[in-house]
Amino acid sequence: MGLVIHALVCLLGTGSWVAVNGIWVELPLLVPSVPEGWFLPSCLTIIIQLANVGPLAVTLAHRFLPGRLGEVGVIYAVLCVGTLACLLLAAFWQETSVVGGSPRSTALLSLLFFLALVDCTSSVTFLPYMQSLQPRYLNTYFVGEGLSGLLPGLVALGQGVGTFRCHGNASQAGNDTGPRRAEYEEARFSVSAFFLFLGGMMALCLAAFVAYIFVLLSWVNALTNGILPAVQSYSCLPYGNLAYHLSATLAALANPLACLLGMCLPNRSLVLMGVLSLAGTLLACYIMAMAVLSPCPLLLQHGPLGTVLIVVSWVLFVGLLSYVKLMIGMVLRDEGHSALVWCGAVVQLGSMVGALTMFPLVSVYNLFQAGDPCATPCAH
């Protein structure tokens, strides 16, 4: 487990300055394509200094509002902003608008400010957060911080940043005469792809900072509250009305029974939660497969075996994941009020993402077809 934490802390460290460092090494490809030209580096320097408003605000908040500003919430915010800014840069970095009668890279400069804000603020949030971990992980964090400059440089090197040839005017004798100029060669992949790489690095940093337990919580709630309820009728009705009503009723009964079992036999093991979540996910895959195959599922459409399997799958699916949700709630309750607030937020986020994912699949693209319990059995 110590090695896992070292890896996660290292990934967190890479998010500290990876965005700004990436911009600096990408300048040779940015400069020829923006109206600012080689004034862009000086603009970037000013932007970075302006972005120090972020650490200043955090410092003042700690001074005048002690105990009210938690580093965890700020770190989540800055990492989300950094990831989103990189993705927006990939799409809009070449967009310009007229300012003062001249074209300006407003999208690029604005998004660079947010990236600089993220990186500057990381200096006053990441390190204080490291106090909550054992001292031996601090060195690993600094290793990751060092990699935040090395990794973009290596990627830019592979991209071919700064590769050029010197050209001049050719004389009749074949010699170059007159002033020579640099002609940059085409990169192996685009600037937008490089920004997507930076966005991926920021997303990895965010994923490393999320507690394993919140990932489980969001996934479990996405399945139980958003994804599977949208296809319950498609998965059950091909087996008849009895299968649908039994699955709905017994699955609803499985929820309180699982919670009662959790109160009598609590188990806070993260490994067990992961195993149960995996089992619930496999059951969800079977249920989803039957919904996709509706109105002609594979197993004995009007026979008892298919009905039993779909009903048992729904009951076990709801029961296992209800137990997992209860155990996660008990773990987070021990962590205090802030952890429970995040618990509620993650529950709603997972449910929303699951529901928003399934709505277009079910209602817009019509990927699922309802089964008719009175229809003639399908031939396989």
Side-chain angles (χ1 to χ4, degrees):
M1 196 65 184
L3 291 176
V4 174
I5 296 177
H6 276 294
L8 295 177
V9 169
C10 185
L11 282 174
L12 178 64
T14 60
S16 57
W17 284 95
V18 68
V20 169
N21 288 333
I23 297 299
W24 281 114
V25 299
E26 194 71 1
L27 282 177
L29 290 182
L30 289 173
V31 165
S33 303
V34 297
E36 289 77 11
W38 281 107
F39 287 108
L40 182 61
S42 62
C43 295
L44 180 57
T45 302
I46 297 300
I47 287 173
I48 293 174
Q49 299 309 312
L50 292 175
N52 282 310
V53 66
L56 177 62
V58 172
T59 303
L60 292 176
H62 283 301
R63 173 65 179 84
F64 296 105
L65 300 171
R68 295 189 181 182
L69 184 67
E71 283 82 12
V72 173
V74 177
I75 292 175
Y76 276 124
V78 297
L79 291 179
C80 289
V81 169
T83 303
L84 180 60
C86 289
L87 297 179
L88 292 175
L89 274 174
F92 303 111
W93 71 274
Q94 286 187 300
E95 297 295 324
T96 60
S97 57
V98 177
V99 179
S102 301
R104 293 286 182 260
S105 303
T106 48
L108 176 65
L109 296 176
S110 301
L111 292 170
L112 288 182
F113 171 77
F114 285 104
L115 286 184
L117 184 69
V118 168
D119 289 0
C120 291
T121 307
S122 70
S123 301
V124 294
T125 52
F126 286 14
L127 282 176
Y129 172 76
M130 292 302 299
Q131 289 184 342
S132 63
L133 302 179
Q134 297 179 12
R136 61 194 175 111
Y137 295 117
L138 186 61
N139 291 334
T140 305
Y141 170 81
F142 283 116
V143 170
E145 194 173 76
L147 291 175
S148 69
L150 175 63
L151 294 178
L154 292 176
V155 173
L157 187 64
Q159 185 184 15
V161 171
T163 304
F164 64 91
R165 295 178 180 177
C166 294
H167 292 275
N169 296 322
S171 65
Q172 292 182 354
N175 299 322
D176 288 341
T177 61
R180 294 169 66 83
R181 58 185 176 82
E183 183 177 300
Y184 288 92
E185 296 183 357
E186 187 176 353
R188 294 183 180 91
F189 53 88
S190 66
V191 173
S192 294
F194 184 81
F195 285 138
L196 289 176
F197 159 75
L198 293 182
M201 290 295 300
M202 294 298 297
L204 278 177
C205 181
L206 176 61
F209 187 69
V210 175
Y212 164 74
I213 202 168
F214 282 131
V215 175
L216 280 185
L217 185 62
S218 61
W219 174 244
V220 165
N221 280 278
L223 287 177
T224 57
N225 298 342
I227 297 177
L228 268 297
V231 298
Q232 184 169 21
S233 59
Y234 298 103
S235 66
C236 296
L237 279 179
Y239 297 101
N241 280 325
L242 179 61
Y244 177 77
H245 289 295
L246 283 177
S247 64
T249 303
L250 296 180
L253 180 61
N255 189 344
L257 289 179
C259 294
L260 180 63
L261 178 64
M263 295 173 61
C264 299
L265 298 172
N267 192 319
R268 292 175 170 82
S269 170
L270 296 180
V271 175
L272 178 63
M273 293 182 199
V275 171
L276 295 180
S277 298
L278 177 60
T281 301
L282 294 176
L283 290 168
C285 290
Y286 172 75
I287 294 171
M288 182 62 70
M290 295 304 102
V292 170
L293 294 172
S294 176
C296 298
L298 291 177
L299 296 173
L300 302 178
Q301 183 182 2
H302 287 285
L305 180 58
T307 301
V308 170
L309 284 177
I310 196 65
V311 172
V312 170
S313 296
W314 268 103
V315 172
L316 291 178
F317 164 75
V318 173
L320 289 176
L321 297 191
S322 296
Y323 182 85
V324 171
K325 288 192 285 186
L326 177 63
M327 291 302 102
I328 291 177
M330 294 176 68
V331 170
L332 295 178
R333 181 193 62 189
D334 297 338
E335 297 294 326
H337 177 267
S338 177
L340 288 177
V341 172
W342 280 103
C343 175
V346 171
V347 167
Q348 295 304 317
L349 177 63
S351 303
M352 180 185 69
V353 170
L356 292 179
T357 301
M358 292 305 298
F359 177 79
L361 299 180
V362 174
S363 303
V364 178
Y365 297 104
N366 298 318
L367 297 183
F368 300 90
Q369 299 181 18
D372 186 350
C374 298
T376 304
C378 299
H380 292 291

